[in-house]
Amino acid sequence: MTPRPLKVVAFTTPHTGHLMCLLPTVYAFTRAGHEVHMLGHVHQRAAIDRAGAQFVDLFGPHSIEDVDSTTHPVPCRHVTFAATHAESVADDVAALEPDLIVYETFAVIAPVVARLLGLPYVNVATNQVCVPSVVPEMYLDPRLNLSDACTAAVERLRDVHGMPNASPFLWLDGASPWLNLYCEPEAFLPSSKRAELAPCEFVGCLAPELRAPVGESLFPDRDGRTRVYVSFGTYVWVYFGSQVLAALTVIAEASPALDVDVVITLGGFPIPDDERRRLTGCDCVTVVEFADQWSALEEADIFITHHGVNSTHEAIYQEVPMLSYPFLGDQPLVAARCQELGLAVPLTSATLEAIEPSAVARAIGRVLDDASGFADRLAHARGWEEHTIAARPAIVERIATMVRTDRWT
């Protein structure tokens, strides 16, 4: 007798990068025949549909900005959101009759809802700083500015919902006692962090089948030039806009002497017209508002990156050498690991240090001079990505068995 499919409810936040970390796991559930309802933001609907899940608008009826528009860092607002809307969202989720809750760590509301409904919950850790040991240092973050609503939310989660670990940083401290899924291959997570996420399985953040080809090239059709794709994502612009712009300007102004074609994406962030003109001062630099990164990396020879998890592993899968310029969170850790593995070259010696024009030429030269070495090492690392993707269906099957038997081991 074939076991009945599970009913799964998945939670994501409006952050696109976090959705991309969660979707491969959701897709593995839907491919295995399980029914998944996914609560997210309306702008994520198309991506959720492609993964085979049924979209549910979480943030239309329940706006984050309505309950907390001032707290910084911005993810702390997910704590306010959870304490404010947990009961009403739990009522909506109960109507779906789920067997299991799956969520990315920043979706603080998910384990609160699961606890209210008495359901097991599985966490997808979006990066390696999503562990309890990071929380104390977050109180030293110069960006920290907690609203009264956020402070009250922490108290409510602690006193009403019985969460003794409640803090403004639950978006980093959302590990599950049932199971945690990590969104990089095993080689990227240090053993100390692995212990904090136990029990832990490795599911990665890539689902190549969900990437639709764009078809239109971003790069000029010129033979012989090295193609350099530059993206620092979207979130870093919020806090480091001036540093991002300064780095892009150095890269653009260094490019004419390097026999390269450069495509820079701004991640949708508006910049002044005079700054845009500085970036596009030569015909070898193209600036776009958004780029389909998967397609861009298919064409690129080198990727200048902040080392977000998705960006890093997309580059590894496409076997593109990286130049590292990380900003915050786990980005310096991912950058350092890629450099240790010989997959990336740093542009500076310290995080947020200004890039020297000569450093751009030097880093590109290191990659080109060791092209065969980078090719070998990236091919080996791509094997880790492929192994992680191939293991995902078996992990989903184990989860389904544990849900049906209530034996979480």
Side-chain angles (χ1 to χ4, degrees), residues 151-175:
T151 301
V154 171
E155 294 175 359
R156 179 172 177 78
L157 291 172
R158 185 182 298 125
D159 299 339
V160 176
H161 292 284
M163 301 177 70
N165 66 321
S167 80
F169 309 107
L170 274 175
W171 45 281
L172 296 174
D173 187 10

Short mmCIF file of all heavy atoms in Angstrom, two decimals, residues 151-175:
data_model
loop_
_atom_site.label_atom_id
_atom_site.label_comp_id
_atom_site.label_asym_id
_atom_site.label_seq_id
_atom_site.Cartn_x
_atom_site.Cartn_y
_atom_site.Cartn_z
N THR A 151 10.32 45.14 21.04
CA THR A 151 10.62 44.77 22.42
C THR A 151 9.44 44.05 23.06
O THR A 151 9.60 43.02 23.74
CB THR A 151 10.98 46.02 23.23
OG1 THR A 151 12.12 46.66 22.63
CG2 THR A 151 11.31 45.66 24.67
N ALA A 152 8.23 44.56 22.82
CA ALA A 152 7.02 43.93 23.36
C ALA A 152 6.81 42.55 22.74
O ALA A 152 6.34 41.61 23.39
CB ALA A 152 5.80 44.82 23.13
N ALA A 153 7.15 42.42 21.46
CA ALA A 153 7.00 41.15 20.77
C ALA A 153 7.88 40.07 21.39
O ALA A 153 7.47 38.92 21.55
CB ALA A 153 7.32 41.31 19.29
N VAL A 154 9.10 40.45 21.73
CA VAL A 154 10.02 39.49 22.36
C VAL A 154 9.41 39.00 23.68
O VAL A 154 9.42 37.79 23.97
CB VAL A 154 11.39 40.14 22.59
CG1 VAL A 154 12.27 39.23 23.44
CG2 VAL A 154 12.07 40.43 21.26
N GLU A 155 8.88 39.91 24.46
CA GLU A 155 8.26 39.53 25.74
C GLU A 155 7.07 38.61 25.52
O GLU A 155 6.88 37.63 26.26
CB GLU A 155 7.83 40.79 26.50
CG GLU A 155 9.01 41.66 26.94
CD GLU A 155 8.56 42.96 27.59
OE1 GLU A 155 7.32 43.19 27.68
OE2 GLU A 155 9.44 43.76 28.00
N ARG A 156 6.26 38.91 24.51
CA ARG A 156 5.09 38.08 24.24
C ARG A 156 5.50 36.67 23.80
O ARG A 156 4.90 35.68 24.24
CB ARG A 156 4.21 38.73 23.17
CG ARG A 156 2.97 37.91 22.81
CD ARG A 156 2.03 38.67 21.89
NE ARG A 156 0.90 37.81 21.51
CZ ARG A 156 -0.15 37.55 22.27
NH1 ARG A 156 -0.22 38.07 23.49
NH2 ARG A 156 -1.11 36.76 21.85
N LEU A 157 6.50 36.57 22.95
CA LEU A 157 6.95 35.26 22.51
C LEU A 157 7.51 34.45 23.68
O LEU A 157 7.32 33.23 23.76
CB LEU A 157 8.01 35.40 21.41
CG LEU A 157 7.50 35.94 20.07
CD1 LEU A 157 8.66 36.23 19.13
CD2 LEU A 157 6.51 34.99 19.41
N ARG A 158 8.15 35.13 24.60
CA ARG A 158 8.71 34.46 25.76
C ARG A 158 7.61 34.05 26.76
O ARG A 158 7.57 32.91 27.21
CB ARG A 158 9.73 35.37 26.44
CG ARG A 158 10.47 34.71 27.60
CD ARG A 158 11.44 35.69 28.24
NE ARG A 158 12.46 36.13 27.28
CZ ARG A 158 12.71 37.41 26.99
NH1 ARG A 158 12.03 38.37 27.57
NH2 ARG A 158 13.66 37.70 26.12
N ASP A 159 6.71 35.01 27.07
CA ASP A 159 5.76 34.79 28.16
C ASP A 159 4.49 34.07 27.73
O ASP A 159 3.96 33.23 28.47
CB ASP A 159 5.38 36.13 28.80
CG ASP A 159 6.58 36.86 29.39
OD1 ASP A 159 7.58 36.18 29.67
OD2 ASP A 159 6.51 38.09 29.55
N VAL A 160 4.00 34.39 26.53
CA VAL A 160 2.74 33.81 26.06
C VAL A 160 2.98 32.52 25.28
O VAL A 160 2.25 31.54 25.44
CB VAL A 160 1.95 34.83 25.21
CG1 VAL A 160 0.68 34.19 24.63
CG2 VAL A 160 1.61 36.06 26.04
N HIS A 161 4.01 32.53 24.44
CA HIS A 161 4.25 31.39 23.56
C HIS A 161 5.31 30.43 24.10
O HIS A 161 5.64 29.44 23.43
CB HIS A 161 4.64 31.87 22.16
CG HIS A 161 3.52 32.55 21.45
ND1 HIS A 161 2.47 31.86 20.87
CD2 HIS A 161 3.25 33.87 21.25
CE1 HIS A 161 1.63 32.71 20.32
NE2 HIS A 161 2.07 33.94 20.54
N GLY A 162 5.82 30.70 25.28
CA GLY A 162 6.73 29.76 25.93
C GLY A 162 8.02 29.53 25.19
O GLY A 162 8.51 28.39 25.11
N MET A 163 8.61 30.60 24.64
CA MET A 163 9.87 30.50 23.90
C MET A 163 10.98 31.16 24.72
O MET A 163 11.20 32.37 24.62
CB MET A 163 9.73 31.15 22.52
CG MET A 163 8.63 30.52 21.68
SD MET A 163 8.39 31.33 20.06
CE MET A 163 9.89 30.83 19.21
N PRO A 164 11.67 30.41 25.56
CA PRO A 164 12.68 31.01 26.45
C PRO A 164 13.83 31.66 25.71
O PRO A 164 14.52 32.51 26.27
CB PRO A 164 13.14 29.83 27.30
CG PRO A 164 12.79 28.61 26.51
CD PRO A 164 11.55 28.95 25.75
N ASN A 165 14.08 31.26 24.47
CA ASN A 165 15.18 31.85 23.70
C ASN A 165 14.76 33.09 22.93
O ASN A 165 15.53 33.62 22.12
CB ASN A 165 15.75 30.82 22.72
CG ASN A 165 14.75 30.44 21.63
OD1 ASN A 165 13.55 30.30 21.91
ND2 ASN A 165 15.22 30.25 20.41
N ALA A 166 13.53 33.58 23.15
CA ALA A 166 13.02 34.72 22.39
C ALA A 166 13.95 35.92 22.54
O ALA A 166 14.39 36.27 23.64
CB ALA A 166 11.62 35.08 22.85
N SER A 167 14.24 36.55 21.41
CA SER A 167 15.08 37.75 21.37
C SER A 167 14.76 38.47 20.06
O SER A 167 14.04 37.92 19.21
CB SER A 167 16.57 37.37 21.40
OG SER A 167 17.02 36.96 20.11
N PRO A 168 15.26 39.68 19.88
CA PRO A 168 15.05 40.35 18.58
C PRO A 168 15.72 39.62 17.42
O PRO A 168 15.48 39.96 16.26
CB PRO A 168 15.68 41.73 18.79
CG PRO A 168 15.77 41.92 20.26
CD PRO A 168 15.98 40.55 20.83
N PHE A 169 16.54 38.61 17.75
CA PHE A 169 17.34 37.94 16.72
C PHE A 169 16.92 36.49 16.52
O PHE A 169 17.73 35.64 16.13
CB PHE A 169 18.82 38.04 17.09
CG PHE A 169 19.24 39.44 17.38
CD1 PHE A 169 19.51 39.84 18.69
CD2 PHE A 169 19.31 40.39 16.38
CE1 PHE A 169 19.86 41.14 18.98
CE2 PHE A 169 19.66 41.70 16.65
CZ PHE A 169 19.93 42.08 17.96
N LEU A 170 15.64 36.23 16.73
CA LEU A 170 15.13 34.87 16.46
C LEU A 170 15.28 34.47 15.00
O LEU A 170 15.25 33.29 14.68
CB LEU A 170 13.66 34.77 16.87
CG LEU A 170 13.37 34.43 18.34
CD1 LEU A 170 11.87 34.49 18.60
CD2 LEU A 170 13.92 33.06 18.69
N TRP A 171 15.47 35.44 14.14
CA TRP A 171 15.70 35.13 12.73
C TRP A 171 17.07 34.49 12.50
O TRP A 171 17.35 33.99 11.40
CB TRP A 171 15.56 36.39 11.86
CG TRP A 171 16.24 37.60 12.41
CD1 TRP A 171 15.79 38.42 13.42
CD2 TRP A 171 17.49 38.16 11.99
NE1 TRP A 171 16.69 39.43 13.66
CE2 TRP A 171 17.73 39.31 12.80
CE3 TRP A 171 18.42 37.80 11.02
CZ2 TRP A 171 18.86 40.10 12.65
CZ3 TRP A 171 19.55 38.59 10.87
CH2 TRP A 171 19.76 39.72 11.67
N LEU A 172 17.91 34.48 13.53
CA LEU A 172 19.17 33.74 13.49
C LEU A 172 19.14 32.51 14.39
O LEU A 172 20.02 31.66 14.31
CB LEU A 172 20.33 34.64 13.92
CG LEU A 172 20.63 35.84 13.03
CD1 LEU A 172 21.69 36.72 13.67
CD2 LEU A 172 21.05 35.40 11.64
N ASP A 173 18.14 32.45 15.25
CA ASP A 173 18.09 31.42 16.28
C ASP A 173 16.80 30.62 16.13
O ASP A 173 16.04 30.44 17.07
CB ASP A 173 18.15 32.10 17.66
CG ASP A 173 18.27 31.11 18.82
OD1 ASP A 173 18.48 29.92 18.54
OD2 ASP A 173 18.13 31.54 19.97
N GLY A 174 16.58 30.12 14.91
CA GLY A 174 15.33 29.41 14.63
C GLY A 174 15.52 27.94 14.36
O GLY A 174 14.73 27.32 13.64
N ALA A 175 16.57 27.35 14.92
CA ALA A 175 16.83 25.93 14.68
C ALA A 175 15.68 25.08 15.20
O ALA A 175 15.03 25.41 16.19
CB ALA A 175 18.14 25.52 15.34
#
